[in-house]
């Protein structure tokens, strides 16, 4: 959509021009002449696309005041179709209804003698504005040439228009986008607009102190809600304030969230994917360049502030999605792919929470990883090639609380011009109790940290879209884990003593340095799975470093699993042999009969386990159904 300021100013100037033409023909029989002149000017100025009508015009010559009642400016659909055939149709059409238009201090003598229009105040009460946007490719071609300045359109009638103040009260605004015959609408009601010091003359077009001929535009938009075309999400905010003089854009209580709760969302969607909730108390752009937005369609600001927000991502692994190639989808690469050119010198994060939750498809439990109270700065957020010639790197310095426990400091550097998405990240995680990660691993892996004290983690990684390399250091002691059974009907889990013993005694080093003083450094060298999203690929690289530091190399892991498998088979074989011989001697059954019974019991046990998992999933979904959308 074109900037809101353009159509506001354009509409006002359009009306003033028509009224001025009428006043210049003022006489004893002023109303018929005025009416004829206004309609004639509207038709001439718009290639007969628009017609205008109103109920009445009231003029006070002594005070220079004018009031027009129930003004309608309506596009002609038949003329628009003809302009489309001629490839001259504009992308935007306007349907405007104004309850009352009031103009104070209308300088009629100045208009007649000097062809200059001065107005002290213009008030537009309860206007209804409908913009219909239908993009035509021929309007973007070079052959159209530069747009004619606004002064060029009025100079035959007026040399100058100067308005001290314009007030538009309680605008009901509707925007319709037409694409391939499909209409998509959104509406905003009760919008307030104040415009100060409007000047249109031969020089104002080039005055850098003015934004679209004005010294100030102040817009206040109350609560607004917009649903995405697929119906799964909505965007809303409490208030939007825009001030061109202060170069400020302020949004409060911003939210992007699903329209359905988690259970209904996935049932309706029928496949996997992320359930995303983003909420922000304050989102502000300071030092916003309104001139570049108007002239070049570029979004430039000195600073962006994001304060007191929460980004929550949830995934239900019961629902599967086909693997898709994620190469080229890193955050900085997606920024470069945006059609809108933008540049923000610094983005400041002030108390942002980030969480990722996942419902296990095996255990129907939800594991969560959190990064709480995130603060930091992201520098040079831009996809503008001219800016990137001077500085091609985007940098992010962030501080957060990992699992609301350890302090995590990270530094990212993104090469915005790299064809393979090159970036680096390094950081440190401070002292914490490792049992804090149980909120993440217990529901998903049926594993819990029994004890463990982290002294620090330090990592330094270079990566791109295809691989990552780096170092990972992890200082810790007293690490012990429990391998758990699946939850029983009472919701409790039992510890698998033998497997827990094997893991603690054979698999993991209890500390780094180990009991013999040997210190292990993790060396990351990992090729990315093309189907892994950016953050999952990054986590897989860090996980490689973690495994090495705790002593879990590929060979050791395979050896342990083979050993555990053999021991379980031995234990299971002993139990089966005891049962077999007991059956033979006590129940006088043949070995074949007992083996058949054993297979039947195993099948019953497997069916029972499957039935229990089904009940667990239904129970989990019922709990999710109690939630509200966006929880």
């Amino acid at each position: 959509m074109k900037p809101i300021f353009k159509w506001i100013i354009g509409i006002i100037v359009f009306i003033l021009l028509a009224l001025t033409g009428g006043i210049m023909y003022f006489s004893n029989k002023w109303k018929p002449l005025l009416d004829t002149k206004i309609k004639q000017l509207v038709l001439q100025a718009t290639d007969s696309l628009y017609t205008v009508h109103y109920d009445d015009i009231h003029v006070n010559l002594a005070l220079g005041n004018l009031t027009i009642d129930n003004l309608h400016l309506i596009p002609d659909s038949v003329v628009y179709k003809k302009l489309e055939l001629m490839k001259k149709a504009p992308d935007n059409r306007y349907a405007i209804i104004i309850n009352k238009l009031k103009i104070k201090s209308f300088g009629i003598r100045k208009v007649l003698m000097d062809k200059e229009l001065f107005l002290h105040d213009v008030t537009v009460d309860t206007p209804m504005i409908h913009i219909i946007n239908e993009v035509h490719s021929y309007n973007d071609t070079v052959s159209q040439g530069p747009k004619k300045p606004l002064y060029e359109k009025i100079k035959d009638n007026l040399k100058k228009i100067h308005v001290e103040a314009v007030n538009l009260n309680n605008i009901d605004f509707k925007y319709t986008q037409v694409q391939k015959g499909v209409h998509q609408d959104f509406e905003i009601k009760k919008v307030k607009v104040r415009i100060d010091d409007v000047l249109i003359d031969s020089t104002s077009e080039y005055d850098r102190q003015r934004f679209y001929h004005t010294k100030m535009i102040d817009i206040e938009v109350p609560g607004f809600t917009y649903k995405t075309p697929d119906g799964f999400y909505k965007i809303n905010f409490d208030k939007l304030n825009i001030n061109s003089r202060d170069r400020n854009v302020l949004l409060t209580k911003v939210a992007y969230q699903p329209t359905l709760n988690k259970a209904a969302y996935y049932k309706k969607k029928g496949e996997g994917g992320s359930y995303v909730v983003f909420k922000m108390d304050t989102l502000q752009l300071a030092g916003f360049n309104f001139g570049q937005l108007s002239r070049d369609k570029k979004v430039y600001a000195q600073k962006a502030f994001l304060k007191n927000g929460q980004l929550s991502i949830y995934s239900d692994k019961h629902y599967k999605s086909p693997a898709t190639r994620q190469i080229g989808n890193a955050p900085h690469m997606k920024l470069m792919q945006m059609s809108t050119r933008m540049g923000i010198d610094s983005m400041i994060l002030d108390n942002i929470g980030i969480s990722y939750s996942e419902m296990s498809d095996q255990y129907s439990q939800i594991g969560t990883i959190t990064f709480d109270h995130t603060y930091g700065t992201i520098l040079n957020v831009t996809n503008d090639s001219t800016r990137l010639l001077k500085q091609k790197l985007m940098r992010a310095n962030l501080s957060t609380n990992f699992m609301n426990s350890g302090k995590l400091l990270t530094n990212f550097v993104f090469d915005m011009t790299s064809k393979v998405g090159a970036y680096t990240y390094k950081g440190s995680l401070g002292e914490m109790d490792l049992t804090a990660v149980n909120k993440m691993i217990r529901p998903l892996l049926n594993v819990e940290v029994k004890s463990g004290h982290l002294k620090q983690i330090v990592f330094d990684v270079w990566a791109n879209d295809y691989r990552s390399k780096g170092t990972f250091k992890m200082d810790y002691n007293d690490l012990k884990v429990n391998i758990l059974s699946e939850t029983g009907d009472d919701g409790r889990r039992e510890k698998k003593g033998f497997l827990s013993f094997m893991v603690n005694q054979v698999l993991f080093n209890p500390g780094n340095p180990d009991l013999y003083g040997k210190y292990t450094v993790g060396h990351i060298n990992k090729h990315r799975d093309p189907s892994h999203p950016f953050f999952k690929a990054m986590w897989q690289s860090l996980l490689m470093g973690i495994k090495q530091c705790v002593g879990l190399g590929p060979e050791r892991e395979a050896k342990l699993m083979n050993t555990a498998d053999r021991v379980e088979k031995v234990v299971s074989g002993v139990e089966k042999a005891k049962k077999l011989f007991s059956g033979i001697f006590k129940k006088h059954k043949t070995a074949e009969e007992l083996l058949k019974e054993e297979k039947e019991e195993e099948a019953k046990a497997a069916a029972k386990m499957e039935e229990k998992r089904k009940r667990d999933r239904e129970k989990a979904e019922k709990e999710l159904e109690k939630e509200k959308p966006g929880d």
Side-chain angles (χ1 to χ4, degrees):
M1 188 178 79
K2 292 186 178 180
I4 190 172
F5 317 106
K6 278 193 173 183
W7 58 258
I8 290 174
I9 298 295
I11 289 165
I12 293 170
V13 171
F14 186 72
I15 293 171
L16 292 177
L17 183 61
L19 289 172
T20 302
I23 293 295
M24 291 173 70
Y25 279 78
F26 203 89
S27 68
N28 292 330
K29 298 180 179 180
W30 60 272
K31 275 195 176 182
L33 289 174
L34 181 58
D35 182 71
T36 301
K37 187 60 179 179
I38 289 175
K39 292 178 179 179
Q40 179 185 342
L41 281 171
V42 169
L43 289 171
Q44 289 176 351
T46 65
D47 292 329
S48 301
L49 179 57
Y50 289 90
T51 57
V52 64
H53 61 86
Y54 42 83
D55 289 349
D56 202 358
I57 294 179
H58 310 279
V59 178
N60 186 320
L61 291 177
L63 298 176
N65 295 342
L66 182 146
T67 302
I68 184 167
D69 297 328
N70 197 23
L71 174 67
H72 289 241
L73 182 68
I74 307 297
D76 189 319
S77 59
V78 175
V79 174
Y80 187 77
K81 291 295 182 184
K82 291 180 180 178
L83 291 173
E84 282 187 314
L85 294 173
M86 299 166 61
K87 294 187 177 183
K88 292 184 178 181
D91 289 345
N92 291 322
R93 282 168 283 167
Y94 307 93
I96 303 167
I97 300 175
I98 297 173
N99 182 43
K100 195 176 289 292
L101 175 65
K102 303 174 184 177
I103 298 174
K104 292 183 179 179
S105 301
F106 193 108
I108 296 176
R109 181 178 177 182
K110 194 77 171 173
V111 170
L112 296 174
M113 299 295 294
D114 303 324
K115 297 182 69 175
E116 293 184 0
L117 172 61
F118 173 81
L119 302 176
H120 175 69
D121 179 83
V122 176
T123 301
V124 183
D125 284 335
T126 60
M128 290 184 287
I129 301 172
H130 183 193
I131 297 180
I132 304 169
N133 175 261
E134 190 170 1
V135 177
H136 302 87
S137 59
Y138 50 78
N139 285 333
D140 295 327
T141 59
V142 177
S143 61
Q144 295 297 309
K147 297 286 185 180
K148 182 184 291 188
L150 188 55
Y151 175 72
E152 293 294 322
K153 298 178 181 180
I154 71 165
K155 67 179 183 179
D156 291 338
N157 294 287
L158 291 171
K159 295 179 181 178
K160 180 179 181 180
I161 295 178
H162 187 198
V163 185
E164 286 191 346
V166 179
N167 291 285
L168 293 91
N169 301 322
N170 297 322
I171 304 171
D172 285 351
F173 172 69
K174 180 178 180 181
Y175 180 81
T176 300
Q177 189 171 53
V178 183
Q179 290 182 328
K180 297 180 179 179
V182 178
H183 289 64
Q184 181 182 339
D185 300 331
F186 77 83
E187 296 184 58
I188 308 175
K189 296 183 180 293
K190 307 300 181 184
V191 179
K192 295 181 180 179
V193 179
R194 177 177 174 84
I195 304 171
D196 284 353
D197 195 359
V198 182
L199 177 64
I200 302 171
D201 62 12
S202 59
T203 62
S204 61
E205 182 82 20
Y206 312 100
D207 187 348
R208 295 291 177 174
Q209 300 300 314
R210 293 181 177 273
F211 170 62
Y212 207 68
H213 302 282
T214 75
K215 281 292 181 71
M216 186 200 75
I217 298 178
D218 186 87
I219 299 178
E220 181 181 309
V221 182
F224 165 74
T225 299
Y226 169 72
K227 285 188 178 181
T228 58
D230 59 14
F232 282 107
Y233 282 88
K234 65 178 180 180
I235 303 168
N236 56 274
F237 57 79
D238 274 2
K239 186 177 289 188
L240 166 64
N241 282 107
I242 300 172
N243 190 291
S244 64
R245 181 183 59 198
D246 298 338
R247 302 177 64 195
N248 187 65
V249 178
L250 176 65
L251 277 161
T252 59
K253 301 295 182 184
V254 187
Y256 172 81
Q257 59 188 340
T259 56
L260 305 168
N261 63 31
K262 295 185 182 78
Y265 176 90
Y266 281 102
K267 285 180 180 178
K268 184 176 179 180
K269 197 173 183 181
E271 61 180 13
S274 297
Y275 182 95
V276 180
V277 179
F278 175 72
K279 296 182 179 180
M280 191 73 58
D281 277 356
T282 304
L283 198 162
Q284 181 181 12
L285 296 175
F288 190 87
N289 195 320
F290 289 96
Q292 285 195 301
L293 176 65
S294 174
R295 293 189 304 272
D296 308 319
K297 309 298 185 294
K298 293 181 179 180
V299 178
Y300 283 170
Q302 293 175 351
K303 292 183 179 181
F305 297 92
L306 286 75
K307 186 174 182 179
N308 297 334
Q310 181 69 40
L311 171 63
S312 302
I313 303 172
Y314 170 83
S315 179
D316 190 334
K317 293 304 178 182
H318 291 112
Y319 294 86
K320 307 300 181 184
S321 292
T324 56
R325 184 175 172 84
Q326 297 294 328
I327 301 299
N329 287 335
H332 59 305
M333 299 181 82
K334 296 294 285 185
L335 176 60
M336 291 299 296
Q337 293 163 18
M338 288 176 56
S339 58
T340 301
R341 297 295 92 184
M342 66 174 294
I344 299 174
D345 294 343
S346 59
M347 184 177 292
I348 299 169
L349 308 184
D350 185 356
N351 192 29
I352 308 299
I354 303 168
S355 68
Y356 175 77
S357 300
E358 184 176 296
M359 169 78 79
S360 167
D361 56 348
Q362 185 172 0
Y363 306 115
S364 295
Q365 299 286 324
I366 299 175
T368 302
I369 182 171
T370 62
F371 302 89
D372 307 288
H373 306 297
T374 302
Y375 297 84
T377 303
I378 306 174
L379 302 174
N380 196 36
V381 184
T382 184
N383 56 12
D384 191 323
S385 57
T386 56
R387 286 193 168 201
L388 293 173
L389 287 174
K390 299 177 182 178
Q391 175 55 268
K392 68 175 184 176
L393 302 178
M394 179 173 70
R395 302 176 183 272
N397 296 290
L398 306 174
S399 167
T400 188
N401 291 343
F402 174 65
M403 302 299 287
N404 207 23
S405 183
K407 178 67 72 175
L408 175 62
L409 304 175
T410 56
N411 172 263
F412 290 85
V413 179
F414 300 94
D415 185 344
M416 305 301 292
T417 62
S418 171
K419 300 298 182 182
V420 293
Y423 64 100
T424 63
Y425 58 98
K426 60 183 178 180
S428 63
L429 177 60
E431 189 173 7
M432 64 177 285
D433 188 335
L434 287 173
T435 59
V437 303
N438 285 335
K439 186 179 179 182
M440 172 179 60
I441 66 173
R442 186 189 288 125
L444 301 179
L445 303 176
N446 257 9
V447 176
E448 68 178 10
V449 176
K450 180 182 178 181
S451 66
H453 177 74
L454 176 69
K455 296 177 181 178
Q456 71 167 352
I457 287 176
V458 177
F459 53 90
D460 190 347
V461 182
W462 170 91
N464 61 28
D465 247 1
Y466 301 94
R467 68 180 304 176
S468 57
K469 298 179 70 174
T471 57
F472 190 96
K473 298 178 181 180
M474 180 176 175
D475 298 14
Y476 68 96
N477 56 36
D478 193 31
L479 177 62
K480 291 184 176 65
V481 301
N482 288 331
I483 308 299
L484 306 175
S485 65
E486 293 197 36
T487 55
D489 291 331
D490 59 357
R492 299 180 62 183
R493 305 183 190 195
E494 299 295 331
K495 181 181 77 170
K496 290 185 176 182
F498 173 72
L499 282 179
S500 299
F501 173 80
M502 289 290 294
V503 167
N504 290 317
Q505 295 299 317
V506 181
L507 181 60
F508 289 148
N509 291 330
N512 194 24
D514 63 15
L515 297 174
Y516 304 101
K518 179 184 177 182
Y519 187 81
T520 302
V521 176
H523 294 283
I524 298 169
N525 188 359
K526 186 171 182 59
H527 290 275
R528 176 185 178 178
D529 184 331
S531 67
H532 284 176
F534 174 81
F535 289 106
K536 184 173 182 178
M538 192 168 68
W539 164 244
Q540 290 293 323
S541 298
L542 294 175
L543 184 60
M544 175 179 280
I546 293 172
K547 284 184 175 182
Q548 292 178 40
C549 288
V550 301
L552 184 57
E555 293 181 2
R556 193 172 183 181
E557 184 177 8
K559 182 178 179 181
L560 171 74
M561 298 312 295
N562 290 334
T563 302
D565 186 52
R566 287 199 302 271
V567 172
E568 285 214 335
K569 285 180 179 179
V570 170
V571 173
S572 177
V574 171
E575 292 298 323
K576 289 179 181 179
K578 288 170 63 179
K579 186 175 180 181
L580 176 64
F581 284 110
S582 175
I584 290 175
F585 290 107
K586 291 183 179 181
K587 299 182 180 179
H588 308 289
K589 293 184 178 180
T590 65
E592 289 78 7
E593 290 175 327
L594 290 170
L595 288 172
K596 182 180 179 182
E597 285 183 1
E598 180 188 329
K599 289 182 179 179
E600 290 175 351
E601 288 178 4
E602 287 178 351
K604 288 180 181 178
K608 185 177 180 181
M609 179 59 70
E610 184 63 30
E611 182 63 28
K612 180 186 177 301
R613 288 180 175 176
K614 183 180 179 181
R615 291 198 307 272
D616 288 344
R617 177 178 178 178
E618 291 173 349
K619 181 180 177 181
E621 286 190 344
K622 285 182 180 179
E623 289 298 315
L624 292 176
E625 286 172 357
K626 296 177 183 178
E627 294 184 357
K628 295 179 181 179
D631 283 352

